[in-house]
Amino acid sequence: MLHTKKAKEVLRRLQEEVEILIPYAVPGEDLEVALEFLRTFKDDQFALGVIKDFYSILPEAREEALVKISVVEEKERVFLLLLSTSRHHHFYLINDEEGVFLGEWEQGILDEHVLAFFEYRNAESFREANSSVAACREYRPLERMNEEICPSCGVKAGGLHTLGCPVEVCPWCSGQLNYCNCRFEQLGVEELNDEKELMELAEKLERKGRVPYAKEQRPAFIAEPETKEVIFK
Ligand SMILES: [Zn+2]
Ligand SMILES: [Zn+2]
């Protein structure tokens, strides 16, 4: 019970901190929109931290309300998010410890380390793979907290991930299917280029037996597991 109380207290304080920041960060007419968005995430420690960072830093020093958080990439507990106002979209890279803004959507991702980490050859290939803001998956409140649902593709525990989901475990090497080399080795190719190869891979996976989602696979995002256990049950 103590943990539950403590965790709720942490959430409440975090929300209050952001509520104090918002009036300094957005013009009066956007205040309600900004606060409404904040309230959507009142039980989501991850999102509250992201929102707080947004209003603390105010990327490009623009005074605009945050209205959407999207997930562009995720790997090994590192997330490339897109934080959107009604007019601008800011890349935001975050791991367990800290977040950093990486410029705006129009410029794409230029940082070579970030590109390499998410396995893009270069800025151009990133742009090709992420051609529209609308195609980026919206972050759902509490998706990092509900263990029964895959934090990435949303499948329930015991179900099969959407093919391509970064959480899916590789049945050949038990690594992350999206990032190990098994898919190339199985097909005998350097990279996956077309629908036909994808279908072939899906068939091989089917034959081998795909690994359904289980909560043990979720990225351990919240630093305080003892609080996570109890607050959202
Ligand atoms: Zn999934
Ligand atoms: Zn593998």
Side-chain angles (χ1 to χ4, degrees), residues 170-177 180-183:
C170 172
W172 290 289
C173 76
S174 301
Q176 255 179 300
L177 183 60
C180 65
N181 283 320
C182 297
R183 60 200 190 282

mmCIF file of all heavy atoms in Angstrom, residues 170-177 180-183, ligand 2:
data_model
loop_
_atom_site.group_PDB
_atom_site.id
_atom_site.type_symbol
_atom_site.label_atom_id
_atom_site.label_comp_id
_atom_site.label_asym_id
_atom_site.label_seq_id
_atom_site.Cartn_x
_atom_site.Cartn_y
_atom_site.Cartn_z
ATOM 1 N N CYS A 170 12.989 -13.098 -31.530
ATOM 2 C CA CYS A 170 13.375 -13.966 -32.645
ATOM 3 C C CYS A 170 13.371 -15.427 -32.205
ATOM 4 O O CYS A 170 13.980 -15.771 -31.198
ATOM 5 C CB CYS A 170 14.766 -13.566 -33.119
ATOM 6 S SG CYS A 170 15.447 -14.709 -34.326
ATOM 7 N N PRO A 171 12.650 -16.317 -32.931
ATOM 8 C CA PRO A 171 12.601 -17.720 -32.529
ATOM 9 C C PRO A 171 13.917 -18.467 -32.806
ATOM 10 O O PRO A 171 14.140 -19.545 -32.271
ATOM 11 C CB PRO A 171 11.461 -18.296 -33.380
ATOM 12 C CG PRO A 171 11.388 -17.413 -34.579
ATOM 13 C CD PRO A 171 11.831 -16.051 -34.128
ATOM 14 N N TRP A 172 14.784 -17.882 -33.618
ATOM 15 C CA TRP A 172 16.046 -18.546 -33.919
ATOM 16 C C TRP A 172 17.126 -18.218 -32.885
ATOM 17 O O TRP A 172 17.834 -19.089 -32.439
ATOM 18 C CB TRP A 172 16.529 -18.166 -35.330
ATOM 19 C CG TRP A 172 15.676 -18.767 -36.402
ATOM 20 C CD1 TRP A 172 15.619 -20.097 -36.758
ATOM 21 C CD2 TRP A 172 14.753 -18.092 -37.246
ATOM 22 N NE1 TRP A 172 14.705 -20.279 -37.781
ATOM 23 C CE2 TRP A 172 14.160 -19.061 -38.106
ATOM 24 C CE3 TRP A 172 14.354 -16.754 -37.375
ATOM 25 C CZ2 TRP A 172 13.213 -18.736 -39.067
ATOM 26 C CZ3 TRP A 172 13.413 -16.426 -38.325
ATOM 27 C CH2 TRP A 172 12.844 -17.414 -39.159
ATOM 28 N N CYS A 173 17.250 -16.936 -32.531
ATOM 29 C CA CYS A 173 18.365 -16.562 -31.635
ATOM 30 C C CYS A 173 17.901 -15.973 -30.310
ATOM 31 O O CYS A 173 18.713 -15.660 -29.447
ATOM 32 C CB CYS A 173 19.290 -15.566 -32.328
ATOM 33 S SG CYS A 173 18.612 -13.884 -32.387
ATOM 34 N N SER A 174 16.581 -15.791 -30.149
ATOM 35 C CA SER A 174 16.014 -15.202 -28.934
ATOM 36 C C SER A 174 16.389 -13.734 -28.729
ATOM 37 O O SER A 174 16.207 -13.186 -27.645
ATOM 38 C CB SER A 174 16.401 -16.000 -27.672
ATOM 39 O OG SER A 174 15.944 -17.311 -27.780
ATOM 40 N N GLY A 175 16.928 -13.129 -29.754
ATOM 41 C CA GLY A 175 17.191 -11.691 -29.694
ATOM 42 C C GLY A 175 15.954 -10.923 -30.131
ATOM 43 O O GLY A 175 14.850 -11.468 -30.158
ATOM 44 N N GLN A 176 16.123 -9.667 -30.473
ATOM 45 C CA GLN A 176 15.005 -8.865 -30.986
ATOM 46 C C GLN A 176 14.914 -9.131 -32.485
ATOM 47 O O GLN A 176 15.846 -8.807 -33.225
ATOM 48 C CB GLN A 176 15.278 -7.378 -30.752
ATOM 49 C CG GLN A 176 14.486 -6.758 -29.627
ATOM 50 C CD GLN A 176 14.846 -5.295 -29.452
ATOM 51 O OE1 GLN A 176 15.997 -4.968 -29.182
ATOM 52 N NE2 GLN A 176 13.880 -4.413 -29.612
ATOM 53 N N LEU A 177 13.798 -9.655 -32.922
ATOM 54 C CA LEU A 177 13.648 -10.071 -34.313
ATOM 55 C C LEU A 177 13.944 -8.951 -35.317
ATOM 56 O O LEU A 177 14.465 -9.192 -36.402
ATOM 57 C CB LEU A 177 12.230 -10.615 -34.525
ATOM 58 C CG LEU A 177 11.912 -11.164 -35.926
ATOM 59 C CD1 LEU A 177 12.841 -12.318 -36.281
ATOM 60 C CD2 LEU A 177 10.463 -11.614 -35.978
ATOM 61 N N CYS A 180 18.201 -8.508 -34.955
ATOM 62 C CA CYS A 180 19.226 -9.532 -35.112
ATOM 63 C C CYS A 180 19.393 -9.789 -36.610
ATOM 64 O O CYS A 180 18.697 -9.217 -37.443
ATOM 65 C CB CYS A 180 18.822 -10.823 -34.389
ATOM 66 S SG CYS A 180 17.364 -11.620 -35.077
ATOM 67 N N ASN A 181 20.328 -10.654 -36.949
ATOM 68 C CA ASN A 181 20.613 -10.893 -38.369
ATOM 69 C C ASN A 181 19.893 -12.109 -38.932
ATOM 70 O O ASN A 181 20.052 -12.437 -40.107
ATOM 71 C CB ASN A 181 22.121 -11.074 -38.573
ATOM 72 C CG ASN A 181 22.824 -9.730 -38.536
ATOM 73 O OD1 ASN A 181 22.321 -8.742 -39.071
ATOM 74 N ND2 ASN A 181 23.968 -9.690 -37.878
ATOM 75 N N CYS A 182 19.126 -12.779 -38.084
ATOM 76 C CA CYS A 182 18.518 -14.042 -38.502
ATOM 77 C C CYS A 182 17.666 -13.907 -39.762
ATOM 78 O O CYS A 182 17.661 -14.791 -40.612
ATOM 79 C CB CYS A 182 17.691 -14.624 -37.373
ATOM 80 S SG CYS A 182 18.688 -15.028 -35.924
ATOM 81 N N ARG A 183 16.928 -12.800 -39.864
ATOM 82 C CA ARG A 183 16.039 -12.684 -41.026
ATOM 83 C C ARG A 183 16.832 -12.696 -42.328
ATOM 84 O O ARG A 183 16.405 -13.248 -43.326
ATOM 85 C CB ARG A 183 15.159 -11.448 -40.904
ATOM 86 C CG ARG A 183 15.887 -10.107 -40.818
ATOM 87 C CD ARG A 183 14.948 -9.048 -40.204
ATOM 88 N NE ARG A 183 15.451 -7.680 -40.283
ATOM 89 C CZ ARG A 183 16.389 -7.174 -39.480
ATOM 90 N NH1 ARG A 183 16.993 -7.951 -38.592
ATOM 91 N NH2 ARG A 183 16.758 -5.926 -39.585
HETATM 92 ZN ZN ZN B 2 17.588 -13.781 -34.416
#
